[in-house]
Amino acid sequence: AEITQCYDDAMKNCGSNIIEQKACEKACHTNVCLTDLRCDTSIEIALLAHRAKSEGRYTGWRTTLSYMDLRNMQEETGFINRNTITGEMQCIRSSTIYDAITCPSGHFKKPEEDVLNGCAALNITCAENFQCVCKPCVKSFDVNVNVEDSFSSGGCKKMENCGEAQQTETIKYKVRDNKQRANASIKIKV
């Protein structure tokens, strides 16, 4: 209470000059005995809270009661995962920006080269010393099938003619497993 009164007096009596106010606040720190200071705070945090209360006209403030929404979002986006060895949740640090991308359900990450060149393809420039990512995910089937010389992100639609060739001609298809499953096998019936 004594420190709060000192801060209030400093705000009123020290003028609007920030240097004068800082000097008055420093005087508060040396002149007031902080016996009622909580062990989980500091003078700087107390001053910041006091300023927020007085300038924001708040009557009180408390931390959130639950961080579950934030925690759920972090798990869904892959920022935290369960460590398979310890069983504890931990932050995941990606070595590249591409590895940090997590796409929503029903969407798949584009190939790395497409993601890294995505902004340039859209004529969007990235500020110096920044890494930009533009549209890294595409809504798609689990497996895309495309005629090799006409790749499109959507692929051939299911149960639809996806290419034509006459006898003795060849047609090549490109198949991409968007789920990137290990040991995937592909069977083609002609």
Side-chain angles (χ1 to χ4, degrees):
E2 195 176 341
I3 191 81
T4 303
Q5 187 61 48
C6 186
Y7 289 156
D8 284 336
D9 293 342
M11 298 295 259
K12 291 176 192 167
N13 302 328
C14 290
S16 61
N17 184 333
I18 192 103
I19 296 170
E20 291 174 4
Q21 285 183 354
K22 291 282 184 196
C24 287
E25 290 166 3
K26 193 170 185 177
C28 288
H29 298 177
T30 55
N31 297 335
V32 176
C33 179
L34 299 175
T35 55
D36 62 342
L37 189 65
R38 291 176 24 182
C39 63
D40 63 343
T41 192
S42 66
I43 292 172
E44 290 75 21
I45 292 173
L47 180 58
L48 183 66
H50 174 71
R51 273 205 183 123
K53 180 180 175 185
S54 61
E55 293 175 13
R57 297 188 179 129
Y58 297 108
T59 57
W61 182 85
R62 65 174 172 78
T63 59
T64 184
L65 295 176
S66 172
Y67 287 97
M68 274 319 285
D69 288 338
L70 173 64
R71 172 75 178 254
N72 291 342
M73 182 271 305
Q74 289 174 328
E75 284 185 48
E76 289 170 9
T77 57
F79 282 116
I80 57 173
N81 284 325
R82 185 170 307 281
N83 183 318
T84 55
I85 298 168
T86 64
E88 295 180 5
M89 298 302 283
Q90 66 184 32
C91 292
I92 303 301
R93 301 283 181 228
S94 302
S95 57
T96 66
I97 195 165
Y98 182 78
D99 292 337
I101 296 169
T102 303
C103 297
S105 180
H107 291 72
F108 299 95
K109 198 175 351 178
K110 292 179 182 176
E112 187 169 6
E113 186 178 330
D114 293 351
V115 171
L116 297 177
N117 297 322
C119 293
L122 296 170
N123 293 325
I124 298 172
T125 56
C126 189
E128 190 175 336
N129 297 324
F130 284 88
Q131 288 182 306
C132 297
V133 176
C134 301
K135 298 187 177 184
C137 301
V138 62
K139 188 170 185 171
S140 190
F141 297 115
D142 291 353
V143 176
N144 278 2
V145 178
N146 299 80
V147 177
E148 189 173 50
D149 59 350
S150 64
F151 184 77
S152 66
S153 59
C156 299
K157 305 251 187 292
K158 290 184 179 183
M159 304 301 289
E160 184 179 278
N161 185 358
C162 193
E164 293 181 13
Q166 293 185 9
Q167 288 183 338
T168 70
E169 289 182 351
T170 60
I171 187 167
K172 291 184 181 180
Y173 289 96
K174 188 183 283 187
V175 178
R176 176 178 168 82
D177 179 16
N178 289 312
K179 287 191 171 184
Q180 299 176 355
R181 293 169 279 215
N183 302 322
S185 66
I186 299 167
K187 293 181 183 178
I188 300 171
K189 292 184 180 182
V190 182

